[in-house]
């Protein structure tokens, strides 16, 4: 899986998401992250067709939403996602939130999808260590991915250690704090040394920690800048400075308990 991908949360299911995905693929991205709940899978599918990039060269991931969870309903939701994306497989299928009463049977359906080769990898989003442990005790396949909120103010070191111990890849959503990283002086200062933006510094810090990233943008200039993080390396001191910014401050809501 590529270390960086394009996230399309809030991108409208029209020319906006299509143009963003095409721009990303033209800029060298090869991972696209969408979800049933984003209501833009159709646009993503159209963009992939329009881009001319071979489907097998693209790492495409989507997610089952909370109201779709359960064994049979997950299988049905997955078929709908394939149809909207105009593909006969996905590279990654994820549980969007850990709905307590349903995530085990949802994952059981996903294991069947994986065994049939319809998803090349399966995983979860927004799972705590306890929830991951519970899921692994009741399933055959260790989740390949746990996609969670991670950024300089919410670095989640314990979850990262746990994931590394169990061979689970962490992937960061909201990695640039909806633009708030631009106002963090330490990131500005480090960025000036490398002629990079605080956004690029934040993304580079995450990748060097072994965390994959899916920054969201619909602006071609920013999409191109976001992937331009592989021509420099942060020092251990700089990594430690950014690690020290942690406030255990999450910006997102927990949507796992409202269904």
């Amino acid at each position: 899986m590529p270390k960086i991908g394009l996230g399309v949360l809030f991108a409208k299911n029209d020319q906006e998401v299509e143009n963003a995905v095409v721009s990303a693929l033209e800029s060298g991205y090869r991972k696209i992250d969408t979800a049933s709940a984003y209501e833009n899978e159709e646009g993503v599918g159209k963009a992939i067709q329009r881009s001319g990039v071979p489907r097998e060269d693209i790492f495409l991931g989507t997610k089952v939403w909370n109201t779709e969870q359960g064994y049979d309903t997950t299988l049905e939701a997955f078929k709908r996602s394939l149809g909207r994306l105009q593909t006969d497989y996905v590279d990654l299928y994820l549980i969007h939130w850990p709905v307590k009463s349903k995530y085990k049977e949802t994952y059981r359906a996903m294991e069947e999808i994986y065994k049939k080769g319809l998803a090349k990898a399966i995983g979860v989003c927004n799972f705590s260590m306890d929830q991951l442990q519970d899921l692994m005790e009741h399933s055959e396949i260790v989740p390949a991915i746990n996609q969670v909120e991670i950024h300089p103010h919410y670095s989640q070191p314990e979850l990262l250690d746990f994931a590394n111990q169990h061979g689970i890849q962490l992937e960061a959503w909201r990695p640039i704090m909806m633009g708030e990283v631009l106002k963090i002086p330490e990131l500005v200062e480090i960025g000036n040394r490398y002629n990079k933006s605080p956004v690029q510094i934040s993304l580079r810090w995450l990748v060097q920690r072994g965390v994959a990233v899916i920054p969201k943008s619909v602006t071609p200039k920013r999409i191109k800048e976001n992937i331009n993080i592989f021509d420099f390396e942060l020092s251990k001191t700089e990594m430690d400075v950014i690690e020290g910014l942690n406030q255990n401050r999450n910006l997102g809501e927990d949507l796992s308990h409202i269904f």
Side-chain angles (χ1 to χ4, degrees):
M1 184 183 79
K3 295 176 182 177
I4 185 168
L6 178 73
V8 296
L9 174 65
F10 302 136
K12 294 171 187 170
N13 192 38
D14 54 20
Q15 289 298 309
E16 184 174 71
V17 75
E18 282 188 48
N19 291 340
V21 171
V22 169
S23 178
L25 293 172
E26 288 175 347
S27 299
Y29 287 74
R30 287 299 177 264
K31 179 175 181 192
I32 308 297
D33 175 85
T34 185
S36 172
Y38 298 171
E39 298 184 345
N40 58 18
E41 289 173 313
E42 287 179 355
V44 170
K46 288 178 184 176
I48 289 172
Q49 299 286 332
R50 184 178 128 200
S51 73
V53 177
R55 171 67 185 90
E56 60 270 19
D57 292 347
I58 298 171
F59 192 100
L60 177 60
T62 192
K63 312 175 189 76
V64 59
W65 182 237
N66 300 4
T67 55
E68 299 170 325
Q69 288 194 40
Y71 184 81
D72 291 330
T73 45
T74 294
L75 295 177
E76 292 164 7
F78 180 73
K79 288 178 185 176
R80 291 194 297 271
S81 284
L82 287 185
R84 290 189 290 260
L85 289 163
Q86 301 180 55
T87 186
D88 54 7
Y89 74 98
V90 295
D91 298 275
L92 180 63
Y93 197 44
L94 302 173
I95 295 177
H96 208 146
W97 286 92
V99 177
K100 187 174 180 181
S101 62
K102 292 185 176 179
Y103 67 69
K104 293 190 198 67
E105 58 180 307
T106 298
Y107 197 75
R108 187 165 59 87
M110 292 168 62
E111 288 180 319
E112 290 303 310
I113 289 167
Y114 171 79
K115 289 172 185 176
K116 291 177 180 176
L118 300 174
K120 292 189 175 182
I122 56 174
V124 299
C125 305
N126 306 303
F127 272 56
S128 67
M129 287 180 281
D130 288 344
Q131 289 164 333
L132 284 170
Q133 193 70 56
D134 179 50
L135 183 64
M136 289 189 290
E137 287 172 4
H138 294 89
S139 58
E140 298 176 49
I141 300 166
V142 175
I145 302 282
N146 186 20
Q147 189 184 106
V148 293
E149 181 180 353
I150 310 181
H151 48 70
H153 283 179
Y154 195 51
S155 58
Q156 303 232 50
E158 295 85 4
L159 183 61
L160 180 57
D161 287 344
F162 179 91
N164 289 339
Q165 290 168 19
H166 293 277
I168 300 168
Q169 174 69 53
L170 283 196
E171 184 169 58
W173 58 264
R174 205 156 281 172
I176 57 177
M177 302 170 60
M178 299 183 290
E180 280 191 40
V181 293
L182 294 167
K183 301 174 184 175
I184 298 176
E186 292 87 347
L187 298 181
V188 173
E189 182 182 343
I190 294 170
N192 288 338
R193 294 176 202 154
Y194 297 96
N195 195 28
K196 297 290 183 181
S197 71
V199 166
Q200 291 167 313
I201 297 301
S202 181
L203 294 174
R204 179 69 205 185
W205 165 71
L206 285 162
V207 167
Q208 278 189 222
R209 294 175 84 216
V211 178
V213 293
I214 45 167
K216 179 261 174 181
S217 180
V218 295
T219 307
K221 182 174 181 287
R222 288 182 189 150
I223 288 170
K224 186 174 284 190
E225 285 177 356
N226 288 347
I227 200 173
N228 189 20
I229 59 170
F230 298 103
D231 57 351
F232 73 105
E233 186 171 339
L234 297 170
S235 69
K236 183 182 184 304
T237 301
E238 290 165 338
M239 292 290 290
D240 290 343
V241 166
I242 301 171
E243 199 76 33
L245 298 172
N246 182 44
Q247 301 174 7
N248 290 324
R249 171 184 171 242
N250 62 313
L251 305 175
E253 297 179 80
D254 182 350
L255 302 179
S256 61
H257 307 298
I258 62 175
F259 291 87

